[in-house]
Amino acid sequence: GDDLFLLDQIAQMGLLNWSTMVFSENFVPLFKILWGQAVFAFDGSYLAMVWLLWFTHAINTGFFARILRHSGFSTSSVILCCAIFAITPANIETLGWSVQWSSVLATGFLLIGVDWLLRHPYPIGSFSWRIHLPLFLFATASACSFSRGVLTGGVFALGLILPLLFAQHRKSRWLRQLPGILLCLLPAITVALIIKTNSSGNHQNISGHFGEIWEYGLTFYLLNPFHYLLGETS
């Protein structure tokens, strides 16, 4: 029913005003603008919206394959991993519901950013607007597409930090790399604060529930996607 709810809000507020409003636990202005424009461009065809979602997922699979190949994985490994990523039944909700385009977009900007970082090597412990500004834009786009996209900036920052752990003269390199790390984290922090202060949901009342949060998160992390692939549901 989220599709109809969003369409009703567009009709009441207009596309631009609606795009800046929080949606459940999400602040997703980029997704809203793209999704709303697609609704009008396809004249409300749900089939076209789902094809758009699958097309984006196919592009994501291509970037995933590029990343794996660039990282030195064998062809057979790449094919296996991409097949699981592309067609696993654990994705059935994501690939059958147009509003989940938000998740696919956020994943796409994460993969594009990782691919960018791998294909544009630079001296460890240095800052370059040419390298780090695109990472900032990809992190911003991911965070503004889906709530879990706030993790993308952290992934990029980690990608900048890890090489420093094994480099010589780490202290001076850390200082030179710090602007790039902060630039990647800025969109995540900003969007997370907007969500925290403007949307309602469980995240407003998490005090005293950290044990349940860890149990819930670890259960899904450790079971996905294999319990779907193996038919295990207990």
Side-chain angles (χ1 to χ4, degrees):
D2 281 353
D3 309 89
L4 299 177
F5 174 69
L6 296 181
L7 290 174
D8 181 58
Q9 285 195 323
I10 293 175
Q12 293 185 52
M13 304 179 190
L15 182 60
L16 291 179
N17 289 333
W18 165 75
S19 66
T20 61
M21 303 291 291
V22 296
F23 167 48
S24 186
E25 74 283 4
N26 300 277
F27 174 71
V28 287
L30 179 59
F31 159 71
K32 281 186 167 185
I33 290 174
L34 294 176
W35 187 86
Q37 292 286 3
V39 168
F40 292 118
F42 297 136
D43 198 28
S45 168
Y46 207 81
L47 178 62
M49 296 291 287
V50 173
W51 272 115
L52 177 63
L53 191 158
W54 275 77
F55 177 71
T56 309
H57 181 59
I59 293 175
N60 289 355
T61 305
F63 272 102
F64 185 43
R66 275 168 55 104
I67 291 168
L68 293 177
R69 286 296 294 163
H70 186 85
S71 301
F73 286 87
S74 66
T75 300
S76 58
S77 298
V78 173
I79 292 173
L80 175 63
C81 292
C82 288
I84 293 174
F85 177 82
I87 62 176
T88 172
N91 268 341
I92 189 66
E93 178 186 27
T94 302
L95 298 177
W97 177 20
S98 78
V99 174
Q100 285 292 307
W101 193 36
S102 60
S103 174
V104 179
L105 285 172
T107 302
F109 290 120
L110 165 64
L111 293 169
I112 293 170
V114 172
D115 182 72
W116 171 269
L117 190 57
L118 289 174
R119 293 180 179 277
H120 293 81
Y122 65 99
I124 295 174
S126 62
F127 175 78
S128 169
W129 284 106
R130 185 180 67 85
I131 301 297
H132 294 97
L133 182 58
L135 289 179
F136 165 78
L137 296 176
F138 296 141
T140 301
S142 185
C144 291
S145 294
F146 190 51
S147 59
R148 286 192 284 275
V150 299
L151 299 175
T152 296
V155 172
F156 294 165
L158 190 62
L160 301 177
I161 290 172
L162 287 178
L164 294 173
L165 301 180
F166 306 97
Q168 296 179 335
H169 310 295
R170 286 193 292 267
K171 185 174 181 180
S172 60
R173 292 176 184 268
W174 269 94
L175 291 175
R176 292 196 297 269
Q177 186 71 283
L178 190 59
I181 295 171
L182 294 177
L183 203 59
C184 291
L185 291 176
L186 181 61
I189 295 171
T190 302
V191 172
L193 288 175
I194 292 174
I195 292 172
K196 173 64 177 174
T197 56
N198 290 278
S199 65
S200 59
N202 291 335
H203 63 282
Q204 300 287 9
N205 301 282
I206 62 174
S207 179
H209 297 283
F210 291 102
E212 292 92 334
I213 291 171
W214 275 102
E215 180 183 356
Y216 177 83
L218 287 174
T219 298
F220 276 83
Y221 179 78
L222 294 173
L223 289 179
N224 258 333
F226 296 107
H227 75 297
Y228 276 120
L229 294 174
L230 301 175
E232 176 60 49
T233 57
S234 63

